[in-house]
Structure formats: C-alpha cells, structure tokens
C-alpha cells in the first residue's frame, strides 16, 4: 500500500462562469468547492495535496485555501507557467492562454513521486468518487496500471446550458477509448444528445463519461514529456488557443499498449458551476448535504 497524493487542477479562470469560481463561497458556512474535495480526500487516505495554480494567484491560494488544510494534510503548489515546456520549445509570442489539462499535470511532475489522483478545483465529485480514487491509487496504481472514475452521463448535466464530456468506451472494466463530445444537453423530450457534425447524436443516460478524475503514477511523466513534445512539434490548430488535453495523452497510452486504465464506476452526482446560473442549484445541494449530516461545517 502506498500513500497517494491528490493533484488539484486549479489554474483555469472559468470564462463561462465569469470569474474565479475556485474561491467562490458556495456552502452554507462559506465553504468553497475545494473544501469538500480535500475533506473527502483526507478521509480517503490521501497524504498530500498539490494545487496546480497560476503563479500570480499564489498568495490568494495560500491565504484562502492552503492555510485551511496545512494542519491536516501536506500542502504543496505547482505553477502552470506558459514557458514550462519540454526542452527546445517556447510559447508563441503573445500567447496568454494556459496549455490545457495535460500541461497542468505535466507542470506538477517535480512535486509527485508515486501514485496520485487528479481532480479539478471547480467541481463537486462526491465522497464515493474520492474514496474509490484513493483506494485504487493506494493499492493498484503504477506506471502501467492506471485508473479513471467514470460518471454516468445523466449525473453530470447542467440545467443551465450545455456541457462537454469525454464519452468512454469500456470492456471488462477497462477503458478502451475516450471521445470528447461537445454541446451535450437534454431536450424537452428527455433525450440527451451532443453535437455531431450536421446532426445531433443521441447519447444514453447511463453512458460512462470522464470528468478528468484519474489515477496516475509519476512513472508516466517521461512518456508525457515525449508525447507533449510531439504534440508541440505537430503544431496543428491555432497556436494561441490549442490545448494539450490529458485524456488524449492517456488514450494514446492505451492504444499503443503502454498502459491499461481500470474504469471505476460511481453513482455520485456531479455538481458544478459551469455557468453562473448553476450556482443556486449547487448551493441548495450542498446545504442539503450538511442538513443530512454528510459534512460538518468546513469553514
């Protein structure tokens, strides 16, 4: 058994939401979303949390977030700097947009040694999700045996607008592929569909989807650096906006036989604030969880 770390991706600004939602009080006692994730991670056996942040936000994160947990769990920070790239590469002049989720994980490579879970900072994933992630990381995770918590699509929709999800294919409990699907929403007849070229594609309610909740190991970083360098060399897309996505990297490991990914199923309902209009629903859900005794005051 190994004591895993939790990597929290917190460098995004949430443009559709309209602000720095990572530190927006949403719980009944002023809790922010990260309060719940770290609380559940500690219960799940994680021994360290690493926040990937923008360097200019370090003081805010240390004051608002890190100070809350430093007496309960080891807290460290990694910085998603635009120029933190494989040797020989530099960002194009004028680019300000972060390089994406794959780069966010790459940015934390010097802070991780062994198995680690990955979550986003602006989503509520539920205790069962963190429990399964911690158990897998502690017992089964190495450089060739990775994991992913798969959510049921119907539990990850927003009532306020469309979402994007990685729709997964699995066989015998193992991930086969992840396909990014855009503009997912449920229509008035109850059917869930997504953009599909000149027509919309129907998706099953129980379709497993990725919310970038992964169990990885620091042994994958050499392969990630190689893959990231190849992606930069390829140079497809707008150089000011293109992003290096974590699911694409993991999908490449699976398809080339360099790693397998176990799919963990959770019945947890995702709550997020993709849009500002999601906030009241999120607040109501968290208040109900406190009333039911699932969480103590966390602030």
């Amino acid at each position: 058994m190994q004591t895993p770390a939790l990597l929290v991706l917190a460098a995004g600004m949430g443009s559709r939401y309209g602000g720095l939602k990572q530190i927006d009080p949403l719980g009944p006692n002023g809790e922010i979303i990260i309060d719940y994730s770290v609380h559940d991670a500690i219960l799940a056996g994680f021994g360290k949390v690493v926040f990937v942040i923008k360097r200019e936000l370090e003081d805010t994160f240390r004051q608002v977030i890190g100070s809350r947990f430093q007496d309960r769990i080891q807290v460290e920070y990694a910085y998603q700097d635009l120029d933190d790239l494989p040797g020989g590469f530099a960002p194009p002049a004028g680019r300000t947009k972060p390089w994406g989720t794959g780069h966010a994980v790459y940015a934390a490579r010097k802070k991780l040694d062994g198995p680690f879970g990955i979550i986003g900072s602006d989503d509520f994933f539920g205790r069962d999700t963190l429990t399964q992630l911690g158990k897998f990381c502690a017992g089964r995770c190495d450089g060739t045996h990775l994991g992913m918590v798969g959510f049921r699509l119907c539990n990850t929709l927003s009532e306020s607008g469309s979402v994007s999800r990685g729709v997964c294919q699995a066989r015998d409990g193992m991930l086969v592929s992840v396909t990014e699907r855009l503009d997912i929403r449920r229509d008035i007849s109850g059917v869930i569909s997504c953009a599909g070229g000149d027509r919309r594609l129907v998706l099953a309610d129980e379709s497993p989807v990725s919310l970038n909740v992964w169990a990885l190991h620091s042994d994958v970083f050499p392969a990630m650096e190689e893959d990231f360098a190849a992606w930069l060399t390829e140079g497809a897309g707008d150089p000011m906006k293109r992003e290096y996505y974590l699911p694409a990297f993991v999908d490449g490991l699976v398809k080339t036989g360099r790693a397998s990914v176990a799919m963990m199923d959770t019945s947890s309902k995702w709550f997020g604030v993709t849009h500002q209009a999601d906030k009241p629903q999120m607040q109501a859900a968290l208040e109900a969880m406190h009333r039911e005794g699932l969480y103590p005051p966390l602030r």
Side-chain angles (χ1 to χ4, degrees):
M1 299 287 287
Q2 307 175 78
T3 301
L6 181 67
L7 185 64
V8 180
L9 309 184
M13 290 297 291
S15 59
R16 284 181 294 177
Y17 179 73
L20 189 58
K21 56 187 173 182
Q22 292 94 334
I23 59 174
D24 192 3
L26 294 168
N29 308 289
E31 292 92 349
I32 60 176
I33 296 176
I34 294 174
D35 285 327
Y36 298 95
S37 296
V38 176
H39 177 81
D40 288 342
I42 292 170
L43 294 179
F46 287 92
K48 177 171 77 170
V49 58
V50 179
F51 293 108
V52 179
I53 62 175
K54 289 184 177 180
R55 192 176 295 271
E56 59 268 28
L57 296 180
E58 179 178 1
D59 288 344
T60 299
F61 265 81
R62 285 186 182 275
Q63 294 170 14
V64 179
I65 299 172
S67 62
R68 290 286 305 155
F69 307 117
Q70 59 191 12
D71 294 333
R72 301 174 58 200
I73 190 171
Q74 182 180 351
V75 177
E76 296 186 15
Y77 300 87
Y79 309 104
Q80 192 174 4
D81 296 327
L82 283 176
D83 59 356
D84 181 17
L85 300 172
F89 292 93
R95 176 165 180 140
T96 59
K97 184 179 178 66
W99 289 104
T101 51
H103 180 248
V105 175
Y106 177 79
R109 64 197 180 281
K110 297 178 182 178
K111 300 289 185 177
L112 299 164
D113 182 16
F116 60 97
I118 301 171
I119 63 170
S121 65
D122 45 16
D123 297 289
F124 178 89
F125 297 104
R127 184 164 299 164
D128 179 62
T129 300
L130 272 298
T131 299
Q132 291 200 53
L133 193 62
K135 183 177 180 180
F136 183 90
C137 285
R140 297 173 57 192
C141 188
D142 59 35
T144 59
H145 298 88
L146 313 177
M148 190 201 80
V149 178
F151 286 72
R152 299 165 191 176
L153 177 58
C154 59
N155 287 336
T156 72
L157 301 179
S158 168
E159 296 180 0
S160 306
S162 64
V163 297
S164 298
R165 298 286 181 254
V167 179
C168 303
Q169 287 189 325
R171 183 181 304 116
D172 299 325
M174 305 301 291
L175 181 68
V176 175
S177 66
V178 181
T179 303
E180 188 72 11
R181 296 296 187 187
L182 308 177
D183 192 27
I184 301 174
R185 59 180 185 267
R186 190 188 295 276
D187 64 24
I188 58 174
S189 67
V191 174
I192 302 174
S193 65
C194 67
D198 58 353
R199 61 188 180 89
R200 295 193 61 81
L201 303 177
V202 174
L203 300 171
D205 279 39
E206 299 295 311
S207 296
V209 298
S210 168
L211 294 179
N212 269 339
V213 179
W214 300 93
L216 301 187
H217 194 282
S218 57
D219 286 349
V220 306
F221 283 122
M224 176 175 277
E225 180 147 8
E226 176 185 331
D227 185 69
F228 192 19
W231 179 87
L232 289 164
T233 300
E234 181 186 74
D238 185 342
M240 298 297 160
K241 297 181 179 180
R242 61 194 298 253
E243 296 184 45
Y244 179 61
Y245 291 117
L246 178 60
F249 165 67
V250 177
D251 190 52
L253 293 180
V254 172
K255 289 181 177 176
T256 56
R258 289 180 289 174
S260 61
V261 178
M263 281 274 291
M264 295 164 272
D265 173 65
T266 182
S267 59
S268 291
K269 181 172 174 55
W270 164 89
F271 290 98
V273 282
T274 304
H275 311 272
Q276 268 285 355
D278 291 325
K279 187 173 177 177
Q281 181 188 13
M282 178 80 165
Q283 291 173 313
L286 293 175
E287 186 174 353
M289 291 179 204
H290 281 271
R291 284 199 309 270
E292 294 165 8
L294 294 177
Y295 291 99
L298 299 177
R299 284 273 163 171

